[in-house]
Amino acid sequence: PQTLAELTPLLGKLRYPVVLKPPAGNNSIGRVFCDTSADLVREFQQHAITSSSALTEPPLVQEKIIGQPIYTLMLCDAGRKVAEVIYRPLRTFPDDGGTSVIRESIGHPDIADITETIARETSWTGFLGFDFLVDEMTQTPYLIDANPRPNPAVQLGFCAGINWAALLVEMAQGQRPARVMPRLGVRARSAVLDWAWLLHGIKPGRNWSAKSRQRLREFLSPPWSLEARGDISMGFGRRECATATVINGILSSIRAAVTGKSLGETMVEDLSYEVRPLNRRGLATYAADRKAA
């Protein structure tokens, strides 16, 4: 629904609780759970005010599903799936759902069929990643999010045997690359997000000492073997990636001190893909482009 007037007729038809989620958000930032229609109206109005001032779309209204998150990333050529990695998060940031920090490649035929259908029916070319929730009672996979770009599974897929770059070169040369299937059970982590997970978990609070020690143990020695321990130590650009990570940490620390947000949250915000206009001229151009689109 774009407005409260469009939402009102639906209030009695929804199954509560529901989730409000910014369309361009990630890592659970801005997500709100609403237990009643009154909660939904209040939060929708608040989101609408925020989205209007930020020139973004109103929030999505989704049924709350209790279950396991399963994520995907595929590369397609004119509707044909060339490669795909399906994976489950072993650790996420934030803890209650968000971007995968440590992930494991798995097989899931039902989800593979869904992504195959979407690729074929849209004649998709390029990368496309999906987020699913698999209902814990019925085992039905529900599609909750789509990202038309590479996601963290690029690293995982590479570790599992998918040479994305080689496939892209073949596609660019007009060839028809053979489909590549990843190895299952491969695990990898994103170092930047793992640092955010660590810092978010050791912020001051009740039982701070015990929680911090436990968090640090899990960070240094995760209970899983890892094929790739970090995205700042893989081959090309090692020095450049490490430098970018350090700069990200410094800028995030400054913003955390200025805004009062947690360091983990400001680190994740820097990984957001939402374009932010920097001045009035940029803001006007951004608004005109959105109106034209």
Side-chain angles (χ1 to χ4, degrees):
Q2 296 293 304
T3 64
L4 183 59
E6 292 183 12
L7 174 64
T8 300
L10 306 175
L11 294 175
K13 302 177 183 179
L14 297 172
R15 290 192 295 179
Y16 297 89
V18 297
V19 185
L20 278 185
K21 184 173 67 175
N26 55 28
N27 304 294
S28 299
I29 295 174
R31 182 191 64 186
V32 177
F33 295 108
C34 302
D35 294 322
T36 65
S37 59
D39 293 339
L40 177 55
V41 169
R42 183 181 66 254
E43 295 295 342
F44 187 88
Q45 288 178 309
Q46 183 58 47
H47 268 272
I49 294 172
T50 304
S51 60
S52 176
S53 61
L55 298 176
T56 58
E57 295 296 318
L60 300 170
V61 182
Q62 298 180 334
E63 180 181 351
K64 182 180 180 181
I65 307 239
I66 306 299
Q68 181 187 26
I70 300 292
Y71 306 142
T72 75
L73 178 65
M74 64 179 175
L75 178 63
C76 301
D77 183 14
R80 186 177 65 91
K81 190 187 297 184
V82 175
E84 180 177 51
V85 58
I86 300 174
Y87 60 105
R88 66 186 180 104
L90 302 176
R91 177 181 296 167
T92 65
F93 180 78
D95 291 295
D96 60 349
T99 297
S100 62
V101 175
I102 298 180
R103 56 199 72 91
E104 178 184 38
S105 60
I106 64 171
H108 199 295
D110 290 342
I111 288 178
D113 287 344
I114 294 172
T115 59
E116 182 98 33
T117 300
I118 295 174
R120 182 179 63 251
E121 295 298 324
T122 59
S123 299
W124 193 267
T125 295
F127 284 104
L128 186 58
F130 295 110
D131 295 354
F132 289 85
L133 275 176
V134 179
D135 189 292
E136 65 180 10
M137 300 297 294
T138 66
Q139 296 304 303
T140 301
Y142 288 89
L143 175 60
I144 63 170
D145 198 13
N147 297 287
R149 53 169 170 77
N151 61 26
V154 162
Q155 176 203 24
L156 175 62
F158 183 79
C159 294
I162 300 176
N163 190 334
W164 306 102
L167 293 172
L168 286 168
V169 168
E170 289 184 39
M171 291 166 58
Q173 292 175 338
Q175 302 178 32
R176 186 178 173 85
R179 179 178 294 194
V180 179
M181 302 298 293
R183 291 186 291 115
L184 305 184
V186 176
R187 304 184 187 99
R189 79 170 180 177
S190 296
V192 173
L193 283 174
D194 217 8
W195 277 101
W197 176 85
L198 171 66
L199 295 170
H200 187 73
I202 62 176
K203 62 184 179 181
R206 296 183 60 183
N207 301 322
W208 176 83
S209 179
K211 290 181 179 179
S212 297
R213 290 196 302 271
Q214 177 64 25
R215 198 79 157 189
L216 187 59
R217 281 195 296 269
E218 292 179 13
F219 176 79
L220 295 175
S221 301
W224 318 280
S225 62
L226 295 173
E227 279 70 15
R229 298 191 63 87
D231 49 9
I232 61 172
S233 60
M234 293 181 61
F236 291 109
R238 183 178 305 171
R239 183 177 302 172
E240 290 84 349
C241 290
T243 301
T245 302
V246 171
I247 293 174
N248 172 247
I250 293 173
L251 294 177
S252 298
S253 301
I254 294 173
R255 287 177 42 222
V258 172
T259 63
K261 297 180 179 179
S262 70
L263 181 55
E265 183 176 350
T266 57
M267 288 184 73
V268 168
E269 285 179 347
D270 281 346
L271 302 179
S272 173
Y273 299 91
E274 176 73 2
V275 176
R276 293 186 178 89
L278 299 181
N279 52 44
R280 290 189 178 185
R281 181 178 178 183
L283 190 64
T285 303
Y286 182 63
D289 288 344
R290 290 190 66 85
K291 185 176 181 181

